[in-house]
Amino acid sequence: MKLRFFAALLAVMMIFPLAGCEKSLLNKNDPVTLAFWHVYGEQSGSPMDELVDEFNRTVGAEKGVRVTVTGTSSASQIGAFLLQAQAGGSELPEMPDVFTCHIGDALSLGAENLLDWNDLFTEKEREEFVSGFLDDGTADGKLLVFPMSKSTHVLMLNGSAFDRFSAATGTQYSDLATWEGFYQTAGAFYDYSGGKTFCAMDYPIRAVELRAMEQGAEDFYTEDGWYDTDNAIFKESWLEFARALVQGHIQMSDLYSNTQVMTGETISGIGSSAAILYYNDKVSYLDGTVEPMNLQVLPMPKTNGTDALMTQAGVGLCAYKTDEQRAEAASLFVHWLTEPERNLDFVAKTGYMPVRNGAFDAVEDYADFPEPQQAYQNLYAALNTMRQEYTPVSEPRFSGYYGKVSALYDALREAQKDYPARLANGENMDDLANETWTLLCSMG
């Protein structure tokens, strides 16, 4: 505990390199209170609330800062709540001093209203963080959203079922390293199983985008925030996914693919790394059979022979600009939250990626994962591989984009119910795949 305290004290000294000339505005005898909104669990005793309590007992009490959680919400809702609070909404708490949000939400609040973390973290400190994660929270040179955790998309598998498939067909986990192998494996499993779907996908449009970018597609967004349907590489990447979809080799998840994997409807799912929180250690099949999940986690497939890309998702930390005392208090709190050991402890409980290089380096020897530990070890081995071999890519920031994506997903979920019968009745696979392309085009 003493080591942690002195590390925190050193961090505070680094925040204010001119401390010898400029007196701190914080006073332990007259603490400043920061209101904090976050998305890390609304339940009592969430990992973030526990961290806030620890901060208040230790460094906060010593330096004169108290953090109070005044709001919790989901990542998809917090942006709207923040805008209402900024406008003075009567049914919500006052605008928080510190909050978690996406970069799009931050820009909606106005960059001029937010602290620029570049002013509060030295260049040397910033070099300790995964550079792509910092870039994701930057707009017009200002670091508005400071990373605390990031998720990405991975391939999770029912290891028990895959092992039987492997023994019967010779298919290996290594076959799933590339998109070429992934789609071939999905077709092989469909044939082996007598028509069962291999994989449910939570965010297929992102997989299509990454595949297209790896193959050299550029500038496939339009000015109004949808896709340039004249981009041939993007179109072919979509049709590759669509051909597998209409044949039943893969499917849109009901919402989150872990449910379909846990019931044996599929044996794999592509979704957020944070979904590990919702996987059971057993598979409960619809016929009543139960067996160990033996959860295996693999990196997102990549395009053979190209530089691999990975999505980066997740909120970060913003601070509303008010006065210099609150800025100093917010800086103290965020420095403390993102210390390497603390960052690793937090993300290891939630399935997120560490944001500091040092924390990522320590994952391999980490011994305090939740149960089942082997599943978490598999996840973080995959994430470490992606950190070393993949380049993180930010998600689209267009206003209204995710509403269009949601509508597209709903339409695909409805359409996929009829594809098996339509194929059986003689309709052409490529015609059905192009029908999904027409659907995507109509969303623009």
Side-chain angles (χ1 to χ4, degrees):
M1 183 60 71
K2 288 183 178 179
L3 288 175
R4 282 193 176 187
F5 170 75
F6 285 116
L9 185 59
L10 177 61
V12 175
M13 293 171 65
M14 294 178 70
I15 297 170
F16 306 104
L18 300 179
C21 302
E22 297 181 8
K23 183 178 180 181
S24 171
L25 300 174
L26 302 176
N27 180 355
K28 64 181 296 183
N29 297 317
D30 185 20
V32 60
T33 298
L34 296 179
F36 181 34
W37 286 9
H38 69 76
V39 301
Y40 296 106
E42 299 183 16
Q43 74 277 17
S44 175
S46 75
M48 178 57 77
D49 288 351
E50 291 175 355
L51 281 175
V52 169
D53 289 342
E54 181 183 351
F55 173 81
N56 288 336
R57 291 194 310 270
T58 57
V59 175
E62 176 66 24
K63 303 300 295 183
V65 178
R66 179 168 185 77
V67 177
T68 302
V69 177
T70 58
T72 55
S73 183
S74 67
S76 61
Q77 294 178 328
I78 199 166
F81 291 160
L82 287 166
L83 285 173
Q84 292 175 35
Q86 185 184 45
S90 59
E91 296 182 1
L92 288 169
E94 293 183 0
M95 188 71 190
D97 300 290
V98 182
F99 48 91
T100 57
C101 72
H102 293 105
I103 182 64
D105 299 325
L107 292 173
S108 295
L109 293 170
E112 70 280 3
N113 296 317
L114 304 175
L115 293 181
D116 180 358
W117 296 111
N118 286 325
D119 297 334
L120 300 169
F121 281 75
T122 67
E123 182 177 357
K124 184 176 180 180
E125 287 176 319
R126 297 195 301 272
E127 288 174 353
E128 298 173 4
F129 290 80
V130 179
S131 60
F133 294 171
L134 293 175
D135 293 342
D136 190 48
T138 299
D140 297 327
K142 294 183 177 182
L143 180 53
L144 304 176
V145 182
F146 201 87
M148 180 177 175
S149 63
K150 287 289 184 182
S151 63
T152 192
H153 300 163
V154 293
L155 174 60
M156 298 192 181
L157 299 104
N158 170 353
S160 297
F162 189 89
D163 288 347
R164 288 192 294 273
F165 169 50
S166 176
T169 65
T171 303
Q172 304 296 316
Y173 287 113
S174 58
D175 295 327
L176 297 167
T178 65
W179 284 114
E180 295 86 350
F182 171 82
Y183 285 117
Q184 290 172 7
T185 299
F189 179 79
Y190 185 86
D191 295 338
Y192 152 82
S193 63
K196 285 190 66 175
T197 299
F198 175 70
C199 184
M201 300 179 72
D202 291 347
Y203 313 107
I205 193 73
R206 193 56 173 156
V208 168
E209 288 180 322
L210 294 175
R211 174 90 157 123
M213 285 187 277
E214 288 171 347
Q215 292 177 304
E218 297 178 350
D219 300 325
F220 50 69
Y221 296 112
T222 62
E223 291 183 359
D224 59 354
W226 195 235
Y227 295 99
D228 177 5
T229 53
D230 291 327
N231 189 297
I233 299 177
F234 176 78
K235 180 178 181 180
E236 180 48 42
S237 182
W238 174 268
L239 290 177
E240 181 182 43
F241 153 76
R243 286 189 287 268
L245 179 75
V246 300
Q247 291 179 91
H249 300 170
I250 62 175
Q251 66 184 50
M252 290 288 309
S253 66
D254 292 340
L255 186 58
Y256 297 113
S257 54
N258 60 286
T259 300
Q260 283 145 292
V261 178
M262 289 189 301
T263 59
E265 183 179 344
T266 68
I267 70 165
S268 68
I270 291 180
S272 170
S273 57
I276 195 170
L277 289 168
Y278 306 103
Y279 272 88
N280 298 330
D281 57 1
K282 289 181 170 38
V283 185
S284 300
Y285 294 94
L286 298 179
D287 64 2
T289 304
V290 178
E291 69 174 344
M293 171 70 75
N294 184 23
L295 185 67
Q296 301 297 308
V297 186
L298 302 180
M300 186 79 157
K302 58 187 177 182
T303 301
N304 190 31
T306 69
D307 293 334
L309 303 176
M310 69 178 191
T311 196
Q312 56 172 319
V315 297
L317 294 156
C318 284
Y320 207 63
K321 188 183 294 184
T322 51
D323 56 52
E324 293 184 3
Q325 183 190 45
R326 290 183 180 278
E328 183 180 346
S331 181
L332 176 70
F333 179 51
V334 174
H335 272 80
W336 182 89
L337 275 180
T338 56
E339 288 176 2
E341 183 179 350
R342 186 167 295 106
N343 183 228
L344 180 55
D345 283 341
F346 175 72
V347 298
K349 296 173 182 160
T350 55
Y352 287 92
M353 292 184 288
V355 295
R356 280 184 180 261
N357 291 312
F360 239 133
D361 291 338
V363 165
E364 187 175 353
D365 298 322
Y366 192 73
D368 199 23
F369 288 117
E371 294 294 340
Q373 284 203 359
Q374 187 60 55
Y376 278 83
Q377 289 169 353
N378 293 342
L379 169 65
Y380 281 92
L383 292 177
N384 215 6
T385 295
M386 294 177 73
R387 171 232 182 173
Q388 295 167 357
E389 300 178 8
Y390 289 52
T391 299
V393 177
S394 298
E395 297 189 320
R397 301 180 180 183
F398 304 112
S399 176
Y401 169 81
Y402 290 100
K404 295 177 183 178
V405 169
S406 180
L408 174 64
Y409 286 174
D410 287 343
L412 287 174
R413 289 188 187 97
E414 189 63 29
Q416 72 185 3
K417 299 174 185 177
D418 298 328
Y419 288 141
R422 294 177 66 182
L423 281 171
N425 289 333
E427 291 193 54
N428 182 273
M429 176 193 66
D430 288 329
D431 289 342
L432 293 176
N434 276 292
E435 185 178 291
T436 71
W437 174 251
T438 301
L439 183 61
L440 180 147
C441 295
S442 71
M443 299 290 171

